[in-house]
């Protein structure tokens, strides 16, 4: 397990007699080895943003970096970085994206001291589509010979006009 351990070295001869010299003491600190984040998912929100979620590594001080690309072969690279220093295992991508374009995401973990960056998580992708959605509900009623009335619940991304 993680922690600091003191190792004590003693000398013995072939007969099993302990030497009379000074003991040697060494302190060794063991740290968790960072593994890539897992369980990355991407979902379009009703506001046409991309919600990313992944499994937390559960290690104190670990932060995450999020990368986005239009290439299915996405790898972590400075020009693909869209967010860094995230302490929670989620991110909301609010960047305006191209309609009908497929976007690929991956995440890396960064050690508390910033010296270790993991390999990429699994990849997640979405096809960003901002086409107008149908109303959530449509209601019609009659005013007799005067006409009809219509009302509806607008979709979260619809503009009023």
């Amino acid at each position: 397990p993680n922690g600091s351990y003191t190792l004590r070295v003693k000398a013995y001869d072939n007969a099993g007699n302990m030497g009379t010299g000074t003991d040697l003491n060494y302190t060794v600190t063991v740290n968790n080895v960072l593994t890539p984040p897992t369980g990355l998912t991407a979902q379009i929100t009703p506001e046409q943003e991309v919600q990313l979620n992944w499994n937390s590594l559960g290690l104190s001080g670990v932060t995450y970096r999020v990368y986005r690309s239009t290439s299915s072969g996405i790898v972590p690279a400075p020009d693909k970085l869209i967010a860094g220093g995230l302490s929670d295992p989620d991110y909301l991508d609010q960047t305006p994206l191209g309609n009908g374009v497929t976007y690929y995401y991956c995440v890396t973990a960064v050690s508390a001291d910033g010296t270790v960056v993991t390999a990429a998580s699994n990849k997640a992708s979405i096809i960003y589509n901002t086409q107008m959605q149908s109303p959530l509900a449509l209601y019609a009623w009659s005013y007799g010979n005067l006409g009809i009335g219509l009302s509806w619940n607008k979709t979260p991304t619809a503009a009023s006009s």
Side-chain angles (χ1 to χ4, degrees):
N2 289 340
S4 294
Y5 299 90
T6 299
L7 305 174
R8 181 171 284 160
V9 179
K10 295 184 181 245
Y12 293 87
D13 64 18
N14 287 339
N17 299 311
M18 184 170 61
T20 59
T22 304
D23 291 346
L24 300 174
N25 294 310
Y26 296 96
T27 300
V28 178
T29 302
V30 177
N31 293 317
N32 277 326
V33 176
L34 283 181
T35 57
T38 60
L40 177 63
T41 60
Q43 182 177 5
I44 301 288
T45 68
E47 294 77 22
Q48 297 297 307
E49 299 165 336
V50 181
Q51 178 65 53
L52 301 170
N53 296 288
W54 58 91
N55 298 323
S56 171
L57 294 181
L59 301 173
S60 179
V62 169
T63 59
Y64 302 97
R65 294 177 183 167
V66 177
Y67 302 85
R68 180 185 62 223
S69 176
T70 55
S71 169
S72 63
I74 183 173
V75 293
D79 64 324
K80 307 292 186 243
L81 181 67
I82 60 170
L86 304 172
S87 57
D88 294 324
D90 58 48
Y91 176 72
L92 183 62
D93 186 359
Q94 298 175 305
T95 306
L97 304 174
N99 191 38
V101 177
T102 301
Y103 290 91
Y104 300 88
Y105 293 88
C106 70
V107 177
T108 60
V110 181
S111 64
D113 63 5
T115 60
V116 177
V117 178
T118 67
S121 66
N122 61 294
K123 278 59 169 183
S125 65
I126 56 97
I127 298 175
Y128 190 77
N129 190 342
T130 59
Q131 298 300 315
M132 180 61 81
Q133 300 173 2
S134 300
L136 297 177
L138 177 64
Y139 306 98
W141 59 93
S142 171
Y143 286 115
N145 291 335
L146 299 175
I148 61 168
L150 295 174
S151 70
W152 58 87
N153 297 331
K154 77 175 192 171
T155 60
T157 58
S160 297
S161 57

